[in-house]
Amino acid sequence: MGLVAQRRLVAVGALLLTVFAIWRAGIGADFGDGTHVVALAMRMAQGDMPLADEMNLQALGSLPAVPFTWVWLSTVGVDGIVLASRLWYVALALLAGVLGYRALRTGFGPVGSFVAVTLMMLPTPYSLLVTSYNTVPVLGLALATCTAFAAWRVRSGRWAALSGVALALTALAHPAMVPPAMVLLAMVVVVGRGPVARGVLTGALGTALVIVVAVALGPGVGALGETLRYTAEYQSARLTAFERLTLSAEMHRNGLLVWRNVPALLLAVAAGLPWTSQRWRALLATGSVVALSIAVVGASLQQPPTEELLLGSVAAALVVLAAVLLLPFLVTARDLGEDRLRVLLVLTAPTAVVGFVAVSLVSSASAKWGVAAAPVQPLFGAAALVVLLFVARHHVRAVALLAALALLGSLVVVHPMRSFRDVQPHRLDGRVEDGPLAGLLTHEAYLQEDCELRAAVRDWVDPDDSVFFWAAPAGYVYADAPMSTHNIWVADFGAASAAGVEWMTRTDRWPDVAFVHAGALASAGGWEALAARDPVIARLDAHYGEPTEVDGFVVLRRDGGVRADGPAPQGC
């Protein structure tokens, strides 16, 4: 296939992927992580500072969405803000993808570069396409890898500087990404040397200096220390770092070794056997990834849902397993001496190992959501590129093209199989008609919960009121109101919530209206039990009006007022 034909094919593929991403952005709703990160961007767009006001390091990952969020709130309001935020992420991913593609084109053909960049950037933890501390590292680390390769390939200080900037921003978005970012930085310095080393160090250290100055002049170093202390205190009852790592490793191992994955495992082993012909190794490796995706889709479509511990129904989790399946091929493949392939693997393999460990050590989320995938995704993209080059070397180009389509198709088919906290697309009931979730396709229970939230906020929050939500971070996206809290996602944190009392008192920002999630309240043992151990709830109980039960919440107003239920919101 000629160069012109490849470029046309890539253009068509990019268009189809963009359409897919836009469609995927409207699938599924949730009232947890997906709306929490939108609320973080909303809070900073309102003028609050991360660390000083929002005592949560996760807020740093939402910074790239703040300018867009400010424009949307200023022109539209909260209506449709979740879907709009998802589409903003799609735009950021498209920009990163274009840059990554151009970088890889310095050493590889159009089709191979396109496949590699797509595999690196399309999967996201939780399968949530939204700007967050989980997704920004996906784009940042992949972009840093691709531009580092380009810097080595053409001896460019500019490509290297861009790689350094991407690494610094990746570390800012998620502190757990500091170790893999440092590893990749070291690899670039060692491999590149000269202008490449100077460029990447200038980009990384220069951006880091800007970040340090911004923290010092903005929230302050003291606010960072207080946030770290508070985070450590409320997480002290959770698993230790070693327990998290052990659990993550066990879940990935068990997810790979379930019976459904036997065909994928056999194909992967066959690709690494010393007596397997070079002609078939790459095709067998490709088949292992395809077989894995078939197993994941089969389990995802099973009704009732399978109880097996099967990782991969989130595309990011599938990437981790797929990267493992490609290792036998990579380890035993001959003729891997091409500098471009060797350098790409040197840049991605150490980063993947260190990054997987670093993220697993700090993340409290289940491995099934693919939270540790971001540092592994560049390795998967690089390994897939190696596979495609070997297929093209030993077969006609039509077979190589089919292999590329198989790898991409495996990822695209799995991507919509799991919407975070929602069901598969074919089981969703309807779209939300109004409010912050407008345009999202979800199931009946979430349509009802959305109606309850819209009604509660409309009935209880006046135009000049400030709000506080306990164990309901999604509530903040429903009210375009000041957020009177030290942390958008507060729950039953016990004595650690004294930080909230201190913040509200020091800033004189006690909320006008407080919403307490009824389900979480019941799990906490009821109002009296919660007030006995949570300093914020105790303060509300002592100084606010009578707690009033509404659908889904217990509500208190600072002025002691009680509101009557209004008519059903639009579409309810």
Side-chain angles (χ1 to χ4, degrees), residues 321-399:
L321 302 188
V324 173
L325 291 176
L326 293 180
L327 287 181
F329 164 78
L330 293 176
V331 171
T332 61
R334 299 172 190 170
D335 303 325
L336 200 58
E338 287 188 56
D339 283 348
R340 57 178 182 163
L341 300 181
R342 181 166 46 82
V343 167
L344 194 56
L345 292 175
V346 165
L347 291 175
T348 56
T351 304
V353 174
V354 172
F356 178 87
V357 172
V359 176
S360 297
L361 283 170
V362 303
S363 178
S364 298
S366 171
K368 69 181 180 181
W369 300 119
V371 292
V376 181
Q377 288 174 216
L379 173 62
F380 179 50
L385 182 53
V386 174
V387 168
L388 293 180
L389 290 176
F390 271 68
V391 172
R393 180 180 302 170
H394 295 287
H395 298 270
V396 296
R397 291 182 177 179
V399 176

Side-chain angles (χ1 to χ4, degrees), residues 178-508:
V178 170
M182 294 293 291
V183 169
L184 181 52
L185 179 65
M187 292 296 101
V188 177
V189 171
V190 171
V191 170
R193 303 178 183 177
V196 175
R198 290 193 296 271
V200 73
L201 288 172
T202 299
L205 297 179
T207 306
L209 178 61
V210 171
I211 293 171
V212 170
V213 172
V215 170
L217 299 180
V221 178
L224 173 60
E226 285 299 308
T227 297
L228 293 173
R229 181 198 59 76
Y230 165 68
T231 302
E233 184 176 357
Y234 81 75
Q235 291 190 356
S236 60
R238 301 181 183 180
L239 297 177
T240 66
F242 181 75
E243 289 171 336
R244 292 171 182 173
L245 175 61
T246 302
L247 181 60
S248 176
E250 289 177 351
M251 290 188 69
H252 283 92
R253 180 197 64 196
N254 295 339
L256 186 63
L257 298 180
V258 294
W259 67 267
R260 291 177 182 272
N261 289 342
V262 169
L265 291 166
L266 291 176
L267 289 169
V269 171
L273 292 175
W275 53 80
T276 301
S277 168
Q278 290 294 311
R279 179 177 176 82
W280 292 103
R281 286 181 184 275
L283 287 180
L284 290 170
T286 301
S288 69
V289 176
V290 174
L292 175 65
S293 70
I294 292 174
V296 170
V297 171
S300 299
L301 294 178
Q302 183 175 326
Q303 292 298 325
T306 176
E307 294 299 322
E308 297 170 6
L309 183 59
L310 180 66
L311 296 182
S313 54
V314 169
L318 175 131
V319 164
V320 178
L321 302 188
V324 173
L325 291 176
L326 293 180
L327 287 181
F329 164 78
L330 293 176
V331 171
T332 61
R334 299 172 190 170
D335 303 325
L336 200 58
E338 287 188 56
D339 283 348
R340 57 178 182 163
L341 300 181
R342 181 166 46 82
V343 167
L344 194 56
L345 292 175
V346 165
L347 291 175
T348 56
T351 304
V353 174
V354 172
F356 178 87
V357 172
V359 176
S360 297
L361 283 170
V362 303
S363 178
S364 298
S366 171
K368 69 181 180 181
W369 300 119
V371 292
V376 181
Q377 288 174 216
L379 173 62
F380 179 50
L385 182 53
V386 174
V387 168
L388 293 180
L389 290 176
F390 271 68
V391 172
R393 180 180 302 170
H394 295 287
H395 298 270
V396 296
R397 291 182 177 179
V399 176
L401 180 59
L402 289 175
L405 291 175
L407 289 171
L408 285 177
S410 299
L411 187 62
V412 169
V413 168
V414 169
H415 204 294
M417 283 294 103
R418 188 74 175 269
S419 295
F420 182 64
R421 303 300 186 194
D422 215 328
V423 296
Q424 299 97 331
H426 66 278
R427 296 173 56 205
L428 299 175
D429 298 305
R431 293 193 182 274
V432 180
E433 293 188 13
D434 198 17
L437 304 190
L440 298 185
L441 184 65
T442 186
H443 67 287
E444 185 60 38
Y446 278 4
L447 291 171
Q448 180 61 35
E449 188 168 348
D450 168 76
C451 288
E452 292 174 354
L453 252 174
R454 281 194 278 152
V457 170
R458 179 204 60 199
D459 294 342
W460 284 83
V461 180
D462 292 335
D464 295 327
D465 283 345
S466 59
V467 295
F468 169 80
F469 286 85
W470 187 87
Y476 291 103
V477 305
Y478 283 77
D480 189 6
M483 305 179 190
S484 292
T485 180
H486 66 298
N487 188 338
I488 286 176
W489 201 330
V490 292
D492 192 2
F493 296 159
S497 292
V501 175
E502 190 279 330
W503 181 87
M504 294 176 187
T505 301
R506 172 170 49 82
T507 61
D508 192 23

Side-chain angles (χ1 to χ4, degrees), residues 137-188:
V138 170
L139 302 182
L141 203 56
L143 181 59
T145 300
C146 295
T147 51
F149 172 81
W152 166 82
R153 183 74 175 179
V154 299
R155 307 300 297 169
S156 169
R158 291 183 179 180
W159 277 121
L162 180 56
S163 179
V165 171
L167 285 174
L169 295 179
T170 298
L172 172 67
H174 196 331
M177 299 301 292
V178 170
M182 294 293 291
V183 169
L184 181 52
L185 179 65
M187 292 296 101
V188 177

